[in-house]
């Protein structure tokens, strides 16, 4: 896609019902090959592009810019639905949803006029912010002036979704040792994206290394940071809720696979009283518990989404944003626990055959565990506890 054209004409607004209609068949198509793609490590380029082309990243774009103007709850429900068919695709699109949320939270009309048409045209946004080796999000990449422009150098890891993206965001330190954010086209010379992500789960999120090889950065490509250090932003709980929504989707996906395996593949253990696995009381119990875990995960995530919507309704009042941050933290805790347990219980619906590689059922636990390690859930519980006990506000670290 061209990266230079600016569309300043108002587009007809998306209809929320139409987005939901588009989502149904698209999600079904993505889910059909998800387990096999993950097993063979086939990156879902086509699936990501199809979602973007259907404008299914544009839920939150306001109607005056051509979007659907959806609530956080509506958007997060879609993220859960997407993660329930392929959590890799859902997580890979987190930077796109985050970028849109940042535009809503802090940028003026000029930036929205610049970026929203690109999303509506089916373009995708990737992230290359984090580095390996530095503590507490330390940045070592550099941005130096080169005449009228800048040059960026360094190496990033956890570049979520960048291999699927049209635009890539990165952070580097300027000559004053201050972090600077910039966004460049995916095809810019000097931007090298590697498919070397080797985690046990979320293998297809394309979250590997990005190298900045004396990358040219124009002044107009430097942007305000999505989340300023030391400041509480409504974007942070949205980003954290997104992770929880992916966990909730994984729990539902585990439920769907448990039901399908019990119906189509499992057979009762030798001394079972049942002639069919679906009649075995212990299989029924396992599926019932998985269902309860998936139900709980989705319920708490949607409840926390309501808190973010309430903060927006309160014009991002400080106390409302803090309350949303706390609600998201405790929802994340439950969603992670639920997804991990649901993914484990899946193996109780059958015997040794459940571990067969052709079924790839272990992907649910691997994916849930990998996501959970992004932001350890024990910190979430401790921060909520301190808030309840002493009124201590959550940290402004970007994780709350």
């Amino acid at each position: 896609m061209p990266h230079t054209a600016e569309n300043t004409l108002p587009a007809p607004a998306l209809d929320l019902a139409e987005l939901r209609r588009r989502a149904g068949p698209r999600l079904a198509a993505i889910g059909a090959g998800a387990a096999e793609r993950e097993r063979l490590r086939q990156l879902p380029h086509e699936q990501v592009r199809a979602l973007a082309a259907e404008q299914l990243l544009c839920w939150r774009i306001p109607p005056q810019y051509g979007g659907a103007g959806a609530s956080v709850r509506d958007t997060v429900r879609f993220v859960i639905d997407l993660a329930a068919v392929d959590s890799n695709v859902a997580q890979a699109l987190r930077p796109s949803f985050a970028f849109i949320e940042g535009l809503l939270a802090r940028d003026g009309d000029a930036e929205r006029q610049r970026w929203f048409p690109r999303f509506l045209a089916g373009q995708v946004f990737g992230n290359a912010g984090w580095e390996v080796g530095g503590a507490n999000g330390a940045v070592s990449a550099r941005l130096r002036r080169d005449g009228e422009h800048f040059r960026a150098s360094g190496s990033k890891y956890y570049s979520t979704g960048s291999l699927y993206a049209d635009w890539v965001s990165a952070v580097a330190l300027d000559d004053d040792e201050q972090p600077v954010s910039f966004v460049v086209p995916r095809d810019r010379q000097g931007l090298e994206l590697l498919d070397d992500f080797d985690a046990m789960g979320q293998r297809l999120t394309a979250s590997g290394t990005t190298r900045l090889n004396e990358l040219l950065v124009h002044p107009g490509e430097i942007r305000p940071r999505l989340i300023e250090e030391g400041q509480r932003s409504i974007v942070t709980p949205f980003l954290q809720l997104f992770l929880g929504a992916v966990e909730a989707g994984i729990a539902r996906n585990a439920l769907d696979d448990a039901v399908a395996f019990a119906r189509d593949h499992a057979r009762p253990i030798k001394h079972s009283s049942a002639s069919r696995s679906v009649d075995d009381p212990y299989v029924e119990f396992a599926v019932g518990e998985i269902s309860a875990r998936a139900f709980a995960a989705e319920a708490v995530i949607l409840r926390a989404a309501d808190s973010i919507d309430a903060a927006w309704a309160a014009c991002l009042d400080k106390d409302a944003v803090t309350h949303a941050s706390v609600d998201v933290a405790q929802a994340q805790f439950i969603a992670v626990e639920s997804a991990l347990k649901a993914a484990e219980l899946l193996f109780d619906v059958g015997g040794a055959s459940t571990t067969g590689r052709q079924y790839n059922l272990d992907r649910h636990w691997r994916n849930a565990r990998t996501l959970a390690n992004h932001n350890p859930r024990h910190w979430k519980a401790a921060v909520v506890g301190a808030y309840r006990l002493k009124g201590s506000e959550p940290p402004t670290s970007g994780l709350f």
Side-chain angles (χ1 to χ4, degrees):
M1 289 188 178
H3 300 300
T4 55
E6 299 290 346
N7 178 9
T8 58
L9 296 176
L14 285 173
D15 180 76
L16 188 57
E18 171 62 15
L19 274 188
R20 290 172 178 149
R21 188 198 65 77
R22 294 179 191 178
R26 182 55 52 199
L27 294 178
I30 291 172
E36 187 72 356
R37 283 194 304 272
E38 208 264 9
R39 188 175 70 83
L40 299 177
R41 206 179 184 284
Q42 297 173 340
L43 296 180
H45 288 281
E46 178 184 342
Q47 289 73 24
V48 169
R49 282 290 156 197
L51 282 166
E54 296 266 21
Q55 299 178 312
L56 288 168
L57 313 185
C58 302
W59 296 76
R60 292 279 289 152
I61 295 177
Q64 62 266 38
Y65 297 99
S71 66
V72 172
R73 183 186 180 92
D74 286 329
T75 305
V76 165
R77 185 183 294 278
F78 169 73
V79 174
I80 294 172
D81 291 344
L82 176 56
V85 296
D86 191 331
S87 66
N88 287 278
V89 172
Q91 179 67 6
L93 291 172
R94 184 172 177 245
S96 291
F97 284 90
F99 193 83
I100 290 172
E101 207 67 17
L103 290 167
L104 295 175
R106 58 171 301 164
D107 289 299
D109 185 65
E111 280 290 275
R112 294 171 184 168
Q113 291 279 5
R114 178 186 181 190
W115 287 104
F116 284 158
R118 290 169 170 165
F119 283 103
L120 289 162
Q123 296 187 15
V124 178
F125 190 86
N127 175 61
W130 299 102
E131 301 180 14
V132 172
N136 301 321
V139 175
S140 61
R142 309 297 306 198
L143 184 72
R144 61 175 178 81
R145 183 169 285 280
D146 182 18
E148 296 181 354
H149 306 291
F150 298 88
R151 295 281 176 178
S153 59
S155 183
K156 302 288 185 176
Y157 199 57
Y158 302 118
S159 307
T160 305
S162 290
L163 285 175
Y164 309 121
D166 298 281
W167 301 89
V168 176
S169 171
V171 180
L173 298 177
D174 64 13
D175 292 336
D176 297 321
E177 303 297 319
Q178 296 302 306
V180 176
S181 294
F182 52 91
V183 182
V184 296
R186 161 69 178 84
D187 55 4
R188 175 72 55 80
Q189 184 176 358
L191 183 67
E192 183 183 5
L193 304 178
L194 304 180
D195 179 21
D196 61 349
F197 188 55
D198 64 351
M200 67 177 182
Q202 295 297 98
R203 295 170 175 173
L204 307 185
T205 57
S207 298
T209 300
T210 297
R211 292 176 181 161
L212 312 175
N213 301 320
E214 290 295 297
L215 174 69
L216 175 67
V217 180
H218 299 292
E221 294 168 340
I222 293 176
R223 304 186 68 255
R225 296 198 69 187
L226 186 64
I227 302 169
E228 293 291 347
E229 192 70 28
Q231 295 182 13
R232 189 173 308 286
S233 166
I234 194 63
V235 180
T236 306
F238 178 86
L239 282 170
Q240 295 303 309
L241 187 66
F242 197 104
L243 292 175
V246 178
E247 294 279 8
I250 291 171
R252 193 203 297 170
N253 204 351
L255 171 63
D256 291 341
D257 273 359
V259 170
F261 195 91
R263 286 175 175 171
D264 302 333
H265 301 290
R267 54 184 179 173
I269 195 168
K270 186 175 181 180
H271 56 266
S272 173
S273 60
S275 59
R276 302 184 308 164
S277 283
V278 293
D279 297 322
D280 187 301
Y282 291 104
V283 172
E284 291 173 337
F285 181 89
V287 171
E289 184 172 352
I290 296 169
S291 182
R293 302 278 181 176
F295 183 85
E298 185 164 343
V300 296
I301 292 301
L302 292 176
R303 175 63 185 84
D306 289 339
S307 293
I308 298 180
D309 280 327
W312 278 103
C315 301
L316 302 185
D317 171 76
K318 179 179 178 295
D319 290 341
V321 174
T322 298
H323 180 75
S325 298
V326 171
D327 279 359
V328 168
Q330 55 195 5
Q332 272 185 296
F333 185 91
I334 296 299
V336 168
E337 295 272 285
S338 298
L340 289 171
K341 191 63 177 178
E344 175 194 341
L345 290 168
L346 169 54
F347 293 93
D348 288 339
V349 304
S353 60
T354 58
T355 64
R357 291 303 307 135
Q358 71 268 33
Y359 303 121
N360 197 23
L361 297 178
D362 63 305
R363 75 188 188 280
H364 301 305
W365 188 90
R366 289 187 289 99
N367 290 337
R369 182 69 263 179
T370 301
L371 276 174
N373 276 54
H374 284 12
N375 303 312
R377 65 190 185 279
H378 298 106
W379 274 99
K380 303 294 181 177
V383 164
V384 172
Y387 178 78
R388 301 297 182 196
L389 289 168
K390 299 171 288 188
S392 303
E393 292 197 356
T396 56
S397 61
L399 303 182
F400 294 92

